[in-house]
Amino acid sequence: MSLSSAIAIAQSVFSTTASQTATVSKNVANASNADYSRRMAMLGTTPDGAQVVSIYRAQNEALLKQNLASISQSSAQGSLLSGLELLKSALGGNDYETAPSTYLSAFRDSLQTFASTPGNSTIAATVVADASDLANSISTTATAVQELRRDTDKEIAEEVDNLNALLASFETANNAVKQATASGADATAALDERDKLLKQISELVGISTVTRADNDTVIYTSDGTVLFETQARQVTFTATPAFDATTTGNAIFVDGVSLSAGTGADTTAQGKLASLLQLRDDIAPTFQSQLDEMARGLVDLFQENGAPGLFTWAGGTVPAVGTIEPGIAASLTVNAAAQADPFLLRDGGFNGLVSNPGGATDPNSGYTDLLDGFITAMDGDMDFDAAAGLDSTSSVMEFAASSIGWFEQIRSAASTADDNKTALLARTEEALGNVTGVSIDEELSLLLDLEQSYKASAKLISTVDAMMASLLEAVR
C-alpha cells in the first residue's frame, strides 16, 4: 500500500465516521420523541475504503398499521366512556344518589307513610315535596342528557375541523415524501412527519393505508371510503345549535359518504368521531326514552278523571298507554294544586272529582282508598314502549331501577373495554418502538465503536506522517 493510498483511506474513514457520528447524535437527541424513527448510516465499499451511501430509516409497515388500528379503537372507547362518565356524574356519581330511581323509592316510602297516617298534614306536605324532588330529578336528568348530546355535537364539529386540518397537513407531508423519493434525496424527516399525522388522523377516524410508487400513500376510512388520494377529501358536518328529545343530529360526511356510528358498550367504533355519533344518536336518546317513559308512567298512574293529577307536564294530557311521548320528561312537574293543598292526593279533586266520602268541605281524615290505590299501582305491572330498550311490561318501580341498571351495565362494560384497548395500544406502541425507536444503550455502544475507528485512522495518519518524515530526512 502506498502512502498516498493510506492517506486516502484514512480520510475516507474520517468522513464516514463523521457521518455515522452525526446520525447517532441525532438519534440520541430524539430518543424521547415517540414520532421519531431511528436512523442508520448504511455503508458501501469504494477503492478508498467504506463510505456512507444512504441513511436508512427504521420502519415496519405491519406494526405501524396495527398501531394505527389500536389508536383508533382506544380513542373511540375512551371518548365513549368519557361521555358515559359525564352522564353518571349527572346521576349522582358512584351511588346514583340523584337518579330518578332513588327519588322514586323515597316518594313511594313517603306515600306508604302517608297512607298509614292519612290525617297528618306534615307527612302530606312531605309526600308532595318528595314528588317534586322526583319530578325535578327526571326533568333535570333529561336536561343533562340533551346537554350531553349538544356538547357532543359541538365536539364533533371541532374534531371534523381538526380532521380537515390534519388531512391538509398530510397532503403537504406526502408531497414532500414523493418529491424526495423521486429525486433520491433524504426523505426520513418527511416520513416521520407523515407517520405522526397518520397517528393523529387515526385518533379521529379508523383508517387503512396503501403505499404506491414514490412512497405515495392513500388513506381509506375503515369502511372503505377514500379519505386521501393525492389530495385530501373534504369531511363535512353541520352542527345543531340546540337539542331536545325530538332533535336528530346531522351526519358526518367523508367525500359525500356518511360515517357510521359505533355500536355496543365495547364499541365497534374506530376513531373518536364514530363513538361520538354513537353517544349522541344511540345511547343518550335511548336513556332519554326511558326517562320519558318514567314520566309518562307517573302521569298515567296518578291521573284523575282522565286528566293529569299529582304529576303533570307541558302537554297537559294523559299520553297514550305504552307509547313514548318524546320530551315529556323535560317538563314533568307536580301539579300546583297539590303544592297548595297536599291533601288533594288523599282526597282527590285535582280535576273536580273528589273521592273522599266527606267531600271537599268535610273530608274523612282516615280515608286511604286513593293512597292505597296509588301504592298498589306503583308496584303493579304497566305497559312501556319496547323502543326504550327495557322490559315492555313491568312496574314503574322496576322500570326505573332497570333503567339505571341498563346504564351502569353499559358504563361498566365500556370501562372494562377501555382498559383492554388501552393495554392493547400500549403493547402495539411498545412493539413498534422496539423496531423503530431509539435505544440509548445501542447508540452509546455504537459511539464507542466509532471512537475506536477514529482512533485507528488517527494512528494510521500518525504512522504515515512518521514515514514521510523519515523519507524526507533520508533525502536530505
Side-chain angles (χ1 to χ4, degrees):
M1 178 188 296
S2 66
L3 294 181
S4 60
S5 296
I7 293 174
I9 290 172
Q11 288 176 331
S12 175
V13 171
F14 284 140
S15 176
T16 300
T17 302
S19 295
Q20 290 179 290
T21 302
T23 301
V24 171
S25 298
K26 189 172 185 179
N27 287 340
V28 172
N30 287 278
S32 60
N33 184 356
D35 298 312
Y36 176 86
S37 290
R38 183 181 180 232
R39 292 1 178 209
M40 290 166 280
M42 307 304 293
L43 303 181
T45 303
T46 67
D48 293 327
Q51 69 175 12
V52 175
V53 294
S54 65
I55 301 297
Y56 172 76
R57 174 179 176 269
Q59 56 187 347
N60 187 304
E61 287 298 319
L63 285 177
L64 176 60
K65 289 182 177 181
Q66 181 59 49
N67 183 234
L68 294 177
S70 298
I71 290 172
S72 293
Q73 294 166 6
S74 179
S75 176
Q77 193 68 51
S79 295
L80 182 65
L81 179 61
S82 178
L84 293 172
E85 292 291 353
L86 285 175
L87 193 53
K88 182 180 179 180
S89 297
L91 293 167
N94 291 334
D95 295 326
Y96 294 101
E97 298 94 340
T98 60
S101 58
T102 302
Y103 287 102
L104 184 61
S105 295
F107 169 64
R108 188 199 176 284
D109 291 343
S110 294
L111 197 62
Q112 184 72 60
T113 303
F114 188 26
S116 64
T117 54
N120 190 313
S121 60
T122 300
I123 294 178
T126 299
V127 173
V128 174
D130 286 346
S132 296
D133 289 342
L134 171 58
N136 183 63
S137 171
I138 292 175
S139 62
T140 299
T141 303
T143 299
V145 169
Q146 297 309 319
E147 287 178 348
L148 175 64
R149 294 185 72 204
R150 181 201 63 202
D151 293 343
T152 301
D153 191 80
K154 186 184 298 183
E155 186 174 2
I156 290 173
E158 293 172 353
E159 296 299 359
V160 166
D161 289 342
N162 186 24
L163 178 56
N164 282 319
L166 288 172
L167 290 172
S169 298
F170 184 86
E171 182 175 343
T172 301
N174 190 60
N175 287 338
V177 170
K178 289 193 298 181
Q179 291 170 5
T181 303
S183 64
D186 182 8
T188 54
L191 286 167
D192 278 353
E193 178 64 17
R194 193 173 70 174
D195 285 354
K196 174 184 176 181
L197 291 168
L198 281 175
K199 293 176 183 178
Q200 293 174 338
I201 291 170
S202 66
E203 290 182 10
L204 301 179
V205 61
I207 60 173
S208 61
T209 61
V210 174
T211 302
R212 305 188 298 192
D214 291 335
N215 251 333
D216 181 26
T217 292
V218 180
I219 307 176
Y220 300 92
T221 63
S222 53
D223 58 4
T225 304
V226 176
L227 192 61
F228 177 90
E229 183 178 15
T230 306
Q231 61 183 13
R233 298 297 195 265
Q234 190 67 20
V235 183
T236 58
F237 173 75
T238 302
T240 303
F243 277 83
D244 61 28
T246 62
T247 305
T248 300
N250 294 313
I252 302 171
F253 292 97
V254 178
D255 200 23
V257 179
S258 61
L259 185 69
S260 300
T263 59
D266 183 358
T267 183
T268 59
Q270 295 191 42
K272 188 176 185 179
L273 289 175
S275 65
L276 291 176
L277 287 175
Q278 178 185 358
L279 188 64
R280 186 198 68 180
D281 299 338
D282 179 16
I283 295 176
T286 300
F287 191 51
Q288 174 68 54
S289 295
Q290 294 170 6
L291 294 171
D292 286 335
E293 279 293 81
M294 284 183 225
R296 183 195 59 76
L298 290 172
V299 172
D300 184 31
L301 288 176
F302 289 86
Q303 65 173 295
E304 179 186 281
N305 200 23
L310 176 62
F311 293 99
T312 188
W313 64 294
T317 62
V318 177
V321 174
T323 303
I324 294 173
E325 180 66 44
I328 185 175
S331 63
L332 183 70
T333 60
V334 167
N335 199 316
Q339 296 174 339
D341 182 6
F343 282 112
L344 287 177
L345 183 59
R346 180 195 68 185
D347 302 332
F350 287 104
N351 300 296
L353 181 63
V354 178
S355 299
N356 194 314
T361 57
D362 186 23
N364 178 2
S365 61
Y367 178 72
T368 62
D369 287 2
L370 280 180
L371 296 176
D372 291 338
F374 291 144
I375 294 169
T376 300
M378 289 183 71
D379 293 332
D381 286 346
M382 61 187 303
D383 292 332
F384 293 98
D385 197 325
L390 302 176
D391 289 342
S392 58
T393 303
S394 67
S395 70
V396 70
M397 302 293 295
E398 292 170 339
F399 188 88
S402 296
S403 176
I404 291 302
W406 170 88
F407 175 80
E408 175 55 26
Q409 183 180 23
I410 290 178
R411 191 212 61 80
S412 178
S415 179
T416 300
D418 182 61
D419 291 340
N420 293 338
K421 290 177 182 178
T422 299
L424 177 61
L425 174 59
R427 287 196 293 271
T428 60
E429 287 180 336
E430 180 181 5
L432 183 62
N434 288 338
V435 174
T436 65
V438 175
S439 168
I440 293 294
D441 291 340
E442 289 183 16
E443 300 303 321
L444 292 180
S445 176
L446 182 55
L447 275 179
L448 291 176
D449 291 341
L450 294 173
E451 180 184 8
Q452 295 304 316
S453 177
Y454 182 86
K455 286 181 177 179
S457 299
K459 181 65 174 178
L460 177 60
I461 290 293
S462 176
T463 302
V464 170
D465 180 61
M467 293 176 68
M468 291 289 290
S470 298
L471 287 174
L472 290 174
E473 185 65 30
V475 170
R476 291 177 189 166

